[in-house]
Amino acid sequence: MSDFELESWLRTRRAEIDALFAARLAIVPPAEDPGRLVEAMRYSLLAPGKRLRPLLVLAAAEAVGREPDEPLLLAAAAVELVHCYSLIHDDLPAMDDDDVRRGQPTNHKVFGEATAILAGDALLTLAFAWLAEAGAATLAATGDPLVAKRHLRAVAALAKGAGMSGMVRGQARDLGEPPPESLQAVERLAAEKTGALFRAALEVGSILADAGPAQEEAMIRFGESYGVAFQHADDLVDEDHVTTQNEARQRLHVLTQTALDALSLFNGRAEPLRALARRLVDG
Ligand code: GRG
C-alpha cells in the first residue's frame, strides 16, 4: 500500500471513529451535566488525537478478515477511551503536571483537578460498557454463542493491558523509580506504560475478528514490538533518555522489522498494519 492509500484509509477510519464519538458523547445541556463531567470528557476525547489505538484495532481485524461494522467500531473506540483517560490522569499535578495536551490546555487546567479525575474515571468505565455493548449487539445480530466468549476475552485483554500488569504498572514504575538508565530498563518501562495498551489493541482487533491461535500470537508480537518502537520514536523526538539514544535509534529499526515480520502469515489485507509500522521509521 502506498503512502497515499494509507492516508486515505486513515482518513476514512478516523472519520468513522470520530463520528461515533460525536454521536455517543453528545453535548449535554449544562443543567443536565452536574460538575461539567460530560463537558470535560468531550473536551479531551474530541481533541485532535491521532486515534492510533482504535486504528490498530480496526487494522488488526481487517487483516484477519473482519470489516469495520458498527460493533467493531464501538470496540475500537473503547480502546481510545482508555487511552484518553490515561492522558488526562497522566497530566494531573500529582503525575506529570502538564499544561498542554493535544494542542490545548490540559483537562485539569480547564475543569479543575477533581473534575479531570472524574472525567478520566468515567472514560475508563465507559470503555468497558462499550465493549460489552459491542458484544451484545454482535450476539443479537449473529446468534453465534461464541461471540460472547470472544468479547469476554477482549474485555480481559483490554483490562490486562490497561491495568496493574500493563499501563498502570508502567506509570507506577515511572513515578516510583529513578529514570531508567540502561536500554533494557527503558524498554521495560516502554513495554508497560505504552506497549501494553498497543498490544491490547491488536488483541482486541484480532480476537473480535475470530483470529486463529497463530494469527492472534502474530498480532500480539506485532503489538508488543510496535508499542516499544513507538515509544522509542517518541523519545527520540522529545530527546528523552539521552544516554541510550543511539541504541534506541537502532532498536527502533529492529523492532519495526520484528513487527513487520510478525505479519508474514497475513495477506494484502494486513497492508494498513504494515504501512502503520513502516511509518514509525519513515516518519
Ligand atoms: C495515568 C494510568 C496512567 C497512565 C499514564 C499513557 C500514559 C500512562 C501516559 C501518557 C504520557 C506519555 C507520554 C506516554 C507515552 C505514550 C505516548 C507517547 C502517548 C501519547 O500517545 P499518542 O501520541 O497521543 O498516540 P494522541 O494524542 O495522538 O492520541
Side-chain angles (χ1 to χ4, degrees), residues 48-53 80 83 85-87 89-90 95-96 101-102 162 167-168 171 193-194 198 230-231 234:
K50 295 184 285 298
R51 309 298 189 214
L52 254 183
R53 292 146 193 86
E80 180 71 9
H83 171 58
Y85 122 77
S86 79
L87 298 179
H89 282 195
D90 184 65
M95 301 226 189
D96 268 13
R101 170 70 65 184
R102 291 181 164 174
M167 183 174 69
V168 173
Q171 184 74 349
K193 196 172 154 176
T194 311
F198 278 114
F230 175 90
Q231 189 59 62
D234 195 66

Side-chain angles (χ1 to χ4, degrees), residues 24-34 36-39 41-42:
R24 293 248 164 187
L25 225 69
I27 296 174
V28 173
E32 292 162 35
D33 187 19
R36 300 171 77 195
L37 175 67
V38 178
E39 192 187 342
M41 292 164 75
R42 283 175 50 87

Side-chain angles (χ1 to χ4, degrees), residues 12-274:
T12 308
R13 298 282 97 91
R14 271 199 195 113
E16 290 165 345
I17 294 160
D18 287 340
L20 185 150
F21 286 143
R24 293 248 164 187
L25 225 69
I27 296 174
V28 173
E32 292 162 35
D33 187 19
R36 300 171 77 195
L37 175 67
V38 178
E39 192 187 342
M41 292 164 75
R42 283 175 50 87
Y43 176 81
S44 291
L45 188 63
L46 304 185
K50 295 184 285 298
R51 309 298 189 214
L52 254 183
R53 292 146 193 86
L55 289 166
L56 286 164
V57 174
L58 299 176
E62 185 170 330
V64 177
R66 180 166 173 188
E67 295 302 323
D69 51 47
E70 197 62 30
L72 183 65
L73 280 166
L74 196 56
V79 182
E80 180 71 9
L81 294 184
V82 174
H83 171 58
C84 186
Y85 122 77
S86 79
L87 298 179
I88 295 174
H89 282 195
D90 184 65
D91 291 335
L92 287 166
M95 301 226 189
D96 268 13
D97 196 9
D98 278 317
D99 294 344
V100 176
R101 170 70 65 184
R102 291 181 164 174
Q104 60 183 24
T106 44
N107 199 291
H108 66 272
K109 287 277 166 196
V110 177
F111 297 95
E113 279 182 59
T115 300
I117 291 168
L118 294 175
D121 292 341
L123 288 165
L124 174 61
T125 44
L126 187 61
F128 289 95
W130 282 8
L131 252 189
E133 185 183 335
T138 312
L139 186 58
T142 62
D144 177 359
L146 290 176
V147 162
K149 186 177 165 193
R150 274 178 223 131
H151 283 79
L152 284 175
R153 291 191 62 229
V155 164
L158 183 56
K160 185 173 173 208
M164 62 183 275
S165 52
M167 183 174 69
V168 173
R169 179 183 170 91
Q171 184 74 349
R173 188 189 297 286
D174 204 11
L175 294 171
E177 292 180 0
E181 282 179 7
S182 67
L183 178 75
Q184 193 187 22
V186 167
E187 290 201 346
R188 181 176 61 178
L189 183 62
E192 291 170 348
K193 196 172 154 176
T194 311
L197 194 59
F198 278 114
R199 171 187 155 143
L202 275 291
E203 282 185 282
V204 168
S206 53
I207 290 169
L208 297 187
D210 196 16
Q215 290 179 318
E216 213 180 291
E217 191 46 50
M219 288 300 181
I220 288 172
R221 215 162 61 233
F222 179 95
E224 288 178 348
S225 313
Y226 181 97
V228 177
F230 175 90
Q231 189 59 62
H232 279 316
D234 195 66
D235 288 344
L236 287 165
V237 169
D238 292 350
E239 300 191 351
D240 283 340
H241 308 304
V242 280
T243 53
T244 50
Q245 242 174 24
N246 289 337
E247 291 168 285
R249 213 165 274 120
Q250 285 173 6
R251 289 288 292 158
L252 169 58
H253 286 268
V254 170
L255 289 164
T256 301
Q257 192 55 50
T258 306
L260 290 169
D261 291 347
L263 300 179
S264 62
L265 69 164
F266 294 97
N267 62 15
R269 296 183 59 102
E271 280 308 304
L273 273 186
R274 292 192 183 97

